[in-house]
């Protein structure tokens, strides 16, 4: 099914008359609304596309999504401020990509050499085709064409990255459920994304690619046009990250991705801009997560905690998805290192609490 946002005036009524902790609410004045409400990107993206979800769901997040790569320029009065506040940067001067040399990457120490605590390690980046709008502004033909182009690039990968692309429409429900349970595939069950227009023409143009070992995965037209993912069981971050860097380099030879000076790689959600990199481990932290200063410690290390099945899900058996919070204003290598330092500190804290509990008994 197609999707169009409600008229801008209607959305403005909602956001201006209701309380919301979102950044959008904090910066969208009546004057700014009137300045931007009739502007359009060359892809046809409007302010209504960008603020639809944030005006229907009053949650504590950015409250705005980009309709297409150009939205960051056309609606810069809003986006620049949202990005500054979310990423806590004064100016938008994101550095050029730096993934680290192969030597530097290989020197990254296994997070859990004894194989006792870290269930799995995953690093992902998002990429957008420079010549297409983001999904809410895509036509059905755009989605079908993008799927074809991305699948073609993926299916030509060789060696460890070689695998096969599957359209969601061709996977049966049992297979999809198993892939979701195993943390490989995404769900379409987020109402904030639905009201951002991300689920338009849902049965078309979406899919997943994976290699035989399911250590390299690509999501096609999930939230971003392309999500490159490397993951494996255990804590061998060097192996996981090196594979991702290889995949990025190979895909960049085949496709052109949207980038903007000072902003890094452009993504649908402004919280992902810059490196677009989220490096995470799944780990049970039954003692640490009950400490009153748990959130303070996460903040100190710039670590974000998510649920067992990703953002918005619950923590089953005290299993947390711990990842770097910052993606803009630092290099890819620095983002991975930041996650490593934070997760190591949390792991050591958990071990310390286990020791104390044992001594007390
Ligand atoms: P993303 O930022 O990649 O969109 P989400 O929070 O949407 O992440 O989660 C997507 C999926 O990735 C979920 O199934 C989540 O459990 C899984 N995931 C995230 N980190 C890990 C990890 N370290 N090991 C295994 N699965 C993971
Ligand atoms: Mg996600």
């Amino acid at each position: 099914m197609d999707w169009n946002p409600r008229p801008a005036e209607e959305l403005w009524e909602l956001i201006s008359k209701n309380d919301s902790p979102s950044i959008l609410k904090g910066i969208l004045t009546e004057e700014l609304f009137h300045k931007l409400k009739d502007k359009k990107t060359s892809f046809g993206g409007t302010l209504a596309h960008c603020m639809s979800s944030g005006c229907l769901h009053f949650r504590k997040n950015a409250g705005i999504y980009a309709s297409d790569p150009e939205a960051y320029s056309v609606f810069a009065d809003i986006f620049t401020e949202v990005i500054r506040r979310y990423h806590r940067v004064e100016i938008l001067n994101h550095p050029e990509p730096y993934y680290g040399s192969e030597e530097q990457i290989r020197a990254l120490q296994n997070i859990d050499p004894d194989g006792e605590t870290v269930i799995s390690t995953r690093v992902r980046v998002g990429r957008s085709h420079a010549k297409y709008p983001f999904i809410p502004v895509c036509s059905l033909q755009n989605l079908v064409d993008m799927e074809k182009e991305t699948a073609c690039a993926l299916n030509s990968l060789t060696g460890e990255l070689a695998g096969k692309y599957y359209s969601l429409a061709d996977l049966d429900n049992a297979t999809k459920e198993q892939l979701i349970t195993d943390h490989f595939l995404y769900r379409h069950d987020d109402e904030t994304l639905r009201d951002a227009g991300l689920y338009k023409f849902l049965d078309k143009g979406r899919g997943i690619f994976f290699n035989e070992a399911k250590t390299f995965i690509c999501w096609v037209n999930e939230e971003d046009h392309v999500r490159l993912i490397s993951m494996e069981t255990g804590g061998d971050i060097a192996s996981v990250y090196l594979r991702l860097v290889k995949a990025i380099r190979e895909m960049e030879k085949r496709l052109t991705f949207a980038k903007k000076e000072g902003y890094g790689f452009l993504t649908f959600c402004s919280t992902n801009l810059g490196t677009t990199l989220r490096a995470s481990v799944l780990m049970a932290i039954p003692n640490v997560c009950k400490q009153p200063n748990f959130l303070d410690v996460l903040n100190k290390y710039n670590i974000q905690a998510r649920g067992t099945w990703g953002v918005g899900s619950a923590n089953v058996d005290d299993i947390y998805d711990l990842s770097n919070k910052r993606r803009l204003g630092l290099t890819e290598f620095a983002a991975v290192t930041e996650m490593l330092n934070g997760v190591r500190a949390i792991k050591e804290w958990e071990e310390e609490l286990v020791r104390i509990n044992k001594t007390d008994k």
Side-chain angles (χ1 to χ4, degrees), residues 27-92:
I27 58 181
L28 190 62
T29 59
E30 186 159 11
E31 191 190 355
L32 191 53
F33 171 72
H34 285 289
K35 179 178 168 196
L36 301 178
K37 74 179 173 53
D38 297 320
K39 289 200 171 183
K40 238 185 195 176
T41 70
S42 71
F43 292 105
T46 61
L47 182 61
H49 284 105
C50 300
M51 67 182 208
S52 166
S53 184
C55 295
L56 295 168
H57 303 279
F58 307 120
R59 298 215 181 139
K60 192 176 170 289
N61 51 20
I64 188 142
Y65 292 105
S67 53
D68 54 77
E70 270 178 34
Y72 286 109
S73 309
V74 175
F75 306 109
D77 288 335
I78 297 180
F79 278 108
T80 311
E81 195 49 30
V82 167
I83 295 161
R84 285 184 58 237
R85 292 194 193 186
Y86 180 85
H87 292 278
R88 298 192 186 158
V89 291
E90 272 303 308
I91 42 164
L92 290 175

Side-chain angles (χ1 to χ4, degrees), residues 111-112 116-118 281-291 293-294 297-298 301 317-320 322 341-359 361:
I111 313 166
D112 182 27
E116 283 175 359
T117 36
V118 173
V281 298
L282 272 190
M283 181 163 89
I285 40 171
N287 295 286
V288 160
C289 73
K290 295 179 187 95
Q291 299 304 305
N293 57 340
F294 177 47
V297 174
L298 291 180
Y301 288 100
D317 297 331
D318 297 324
I319 296 172
Y320 281 73
L322 302 172
N341 292 339
V343 165
R344 272 211 190 93
I346 291 162
K347 183 170 169 285
E348 279 164 20
W349 188 19
E350 178 67 31
E351 286 160 359
E352 176 68 22
L353 291 172
V354 170
R355 265 196 301 276
I356 293 170
N357 286 347
K358 267 194 194 143
T359 334
K361 274 176 195 157

Side-chain angles (χ1 to χ4, degrees), residues 120-122 124 180 183-185 219 222-223 227 231 278 280-282 306-311 321:
S120 49
T121 303
R122 175 183 188 265
R124 61 86 161 157
I180 290 168
H183 302 272
F184 297 131
L185 184 62
W219 292 350
E222 181 248 357
E223 178 177 318
R227 281 277 175 102
M231 61 197 279
R278 192 169 85 86
S280 64
V281 298
L282 272 190
R306 293 188 176 186
T308 314
W309 270 273
V311 69
D321 164 339

Side-chain angles (χ1 to χ4, degrees), residues 300-349:
K300 176 177 153 198
Y301 288 100
N302 287 325
I303 294 290
Q304 182 184 52
R306 293 188 176 186
T308 314
W309 270 273
V311 69
S313 68
N315 295 97
V316 180
D317 297 331
D318 297 324
I319 296 172
Y320 281 73
D321 164 339
L322 302 172
S323 63
N324 58 298
K325 200 176 191 173
R326 299 198 303 149
R327 306 192 218 298
L328 183 131
L330 74 178
T331 67
E332 286 76 359
F333 189 71
V336 170
T337 307
E338 189 153 273
M339 180 283 269
L340 277 179
N341 292 339
V343 165
R344 272 211 190 93
I346 291 162
K347 183 170 169 285
E348 279 164 20
W349 188 19

Side-chain angles (χ1 to χ4, degrees), residues 129 131-132 138-152 204-205 220-221 255:
H129 292 280
K131 60 182 178 183
Y132 290 102
C138 274
S139 65
L140 180 55
Q141 194 60 47
N142 286 155
L143 285 165
V144 171
D145 290 346
M146 263 198 291
E147 180 187 34
K148 216 191 236 166
E149 286 173 36
T150 316
C152 179
K204 304 275 182 347
V220 173
N221 292 334
L255 300 168

